[in-house]
């Protein structure tokens, strides 16, 4: 009996709910890669311009079949001469990125952090594959906060006749049941332990066009709880 109780205690205490879990991994560098030119998230021709063209690629556990698209991360070398967190800002500009190029493969720690775009709102880009009136594909740009978007719904402004979009690939959501008129959206995300719908009441005008980026008029600042064994120096959810 005592053994079982100890074991259960271990199970409950081994994972704690954190605002920022710290993970161990390895990082390496590529001088060029065809896949980096557009990326798996589906941002297409926009991708090479992100972050001044200084790009880093993530493994499948970060990509998470597209759920991870839009996340922001910091990285550091644990217990080394550079113990502070930094954003990877491309190669050849000093810092950790320099070491990665020099050493080939380095042990790193990383954590997800809130994305902060200043005054920039969440934005909806209408994909070039959209075809009025029967097909709408969008991706979300400048998503603030530190949370995933799990569902997206669209409705004509002024109605509550919501149509769910499907995750097509990466950051791209689509539907072939496109409401007429100007369009509003709802996004399901996580705040702490709970789900939360965020309403963007007017996003696309009635004459929306493929290839155009529209301001959603809202921004996301929520932080989702994560379970991990190491909260680093970040906060624990109570
Ligand atoms: C963000 O949305 C708010 C509310 O709709 C709007 O007033 C503001 O102008 C938008 N910010 C930018 C930078 O477009
Ligand atoms: C964290 O753990 C709790 C309790 O086991 C579980 O209910 C919750 O779904 C987990 N959250 C995540 C994001 O994995």
């Amino acid at each position: 009996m005592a053994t079982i109780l100890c074991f259960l205690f271990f199970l409950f205490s081994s994972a704690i709910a954190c605002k920022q879990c710290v993970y161990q991994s390895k990082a390496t560098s590529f001088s060029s890669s065809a896949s980096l030119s557009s990326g798996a998230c589906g941002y297409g021709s926009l991708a090479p311009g992100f972050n001044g063209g200084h790009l880093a690629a993530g493994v499948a556990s970060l990509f998470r079949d597209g759920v991870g698209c839009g996340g922001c991360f910091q990285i550091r070398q644990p217990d080394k001469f550079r113990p502070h967190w930094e954003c990877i800002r491309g190669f050849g500009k000093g810092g950790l990125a320099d070491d990665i190029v020099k050493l080939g493969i380095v042990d790193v720690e990383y954590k997800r952090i809130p994305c902060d775009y200043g005054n920039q709102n969440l934005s909806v880009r209408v994909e070039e594959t959209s075809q009025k009136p029967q097909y709408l594909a969008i991706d979300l740009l400048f998503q603030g906060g530190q949370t995933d978007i799990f569902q997206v719904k669209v409705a004509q402004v002024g109605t509550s006749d919501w149509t769910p979009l499907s995750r097509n690939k990466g950051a791209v959501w689509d539907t072939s049941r496109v409401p007429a008129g100007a369009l509003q959206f709802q996004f399901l995300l996580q705040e702490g332990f709970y789900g939360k719908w965020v309403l963007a009441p007017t996003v696309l005008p009635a004459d929306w066009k493929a290839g155009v980026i529209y301001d959603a008029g809202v921004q996301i600042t929520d932080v989702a709880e994560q379970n991990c064994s190491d909260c680093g120096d970040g906060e624990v959810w109570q």
Side-chain angles (χ1 to χ4, degrees):
M1 192 60 192
T3 321
I4 290 169
L5 283 178
C6 285
F7 182 58
L8 284 179
F9 178 75
F10 173 75
L11 272 186
F12 282 119
S13 65
S14 63
I16 38 178
C18 305
K19 294 196 174 170
Q20 292 179 348
C21 296
V22 175
Y23 301 101
Q24 270 78 44
S25 190
K26 291 182 188 300
T28 189
S29 73
F30 300 84
S31 54
S32 73
S33 159
S35 60
L36 273 184
S37 67
S38 60
C41 284
Y43 298 118
S45 56
L46 282 186
F50 289 158
N51 198 22
H54 301 301
L55 301 178
V59 291
S61 57
L62 293 177
F63 179 59
R64 293 181 293 137
D65 285 328
V67 178
C69 291
C72 295
F73 296 87
Q74 279 183 333
I75 187 169
R76 73 176 177 188
Q77 269 178 293
D79 308 322
K80 287 280 163 56
F81 47 95
R82 241 189 269 283
H84 55 270
W85 292 101
E86 52 187 281
C87 296
I88 285 247
R89 288 242 175 252
F91 299 128
K93 296 179 84 186
L96 175 55
D98 247 4
D99 295 341
I100 295 173
V101 172
K102 231 179 305 175
L103 301 172
I105 297 183
V106 298
D107 289 315
V108 293
E109 290 180 337
Y110 70 88
K111 61 181 180 181
R112 187 167 176 185
I113 58 160
C115 298
D116 180 0
Y117 295 103
N119 288 331
Q120 172 70 58
N121 291 326
L122 177 70
S123 298
V124 170
R125 175 170 176 267
V126 179
E127 292 273 307
E128 279 87 354
T129 53
S130 297
Q131 289 237 316
K132 235 173 176 170
Q134 69 272 29
Y135 181 68
L136 174 64
I138 60 158
D139 60 65
L140 301 173
L141 299 175
F142 312 116
Q143 179 197 331
Q146 188 190 322
T147 184
D148 301 325
I149 289 185
F150 300 102
Q151 288 179 45
V152 179
K153 295 194 291 194
V154 63
Q156 184 176 0
V157 171
T159 74
S160 52
D161 187 11
W162 292 98
T163 300
L165 279 73
S166 316
R167 190 185 290 281
N168 173 301
K169 67 157 190 169
V172 180
W173 297 81
D174 68 359
T175 178
S176 44
R177 287 186 48 219
V178 189
L183 301 180
Q184 55 177 340
F185 288 84
Q186 279 193 70
F187 308 102
L188 178 64
L189 48 85
Q190 194 184 343
E191 159 62 20
F193 300 91
Y194 305 105
K196 170 181 171 181
W197 285 99
V198 170
L199 173 68
T202 42
V203 182
L204 300 190
D207 65 343
W208 57 264
K209 292 187 178 55
V212 177
I213 297 171
Y214 296 93
D215 191 298
V218 294
Q219 185 50 287
I220 292 165
T221 54
D222 304 273
V223 174
E225 162 260 5
Q226 300 174 317
N227 291 329
C228 52
S229 55
D230 181 3
C231 280
D233 47 11
E235 284 176 74
V236 180
W237 285 103
Q238 299 302 324

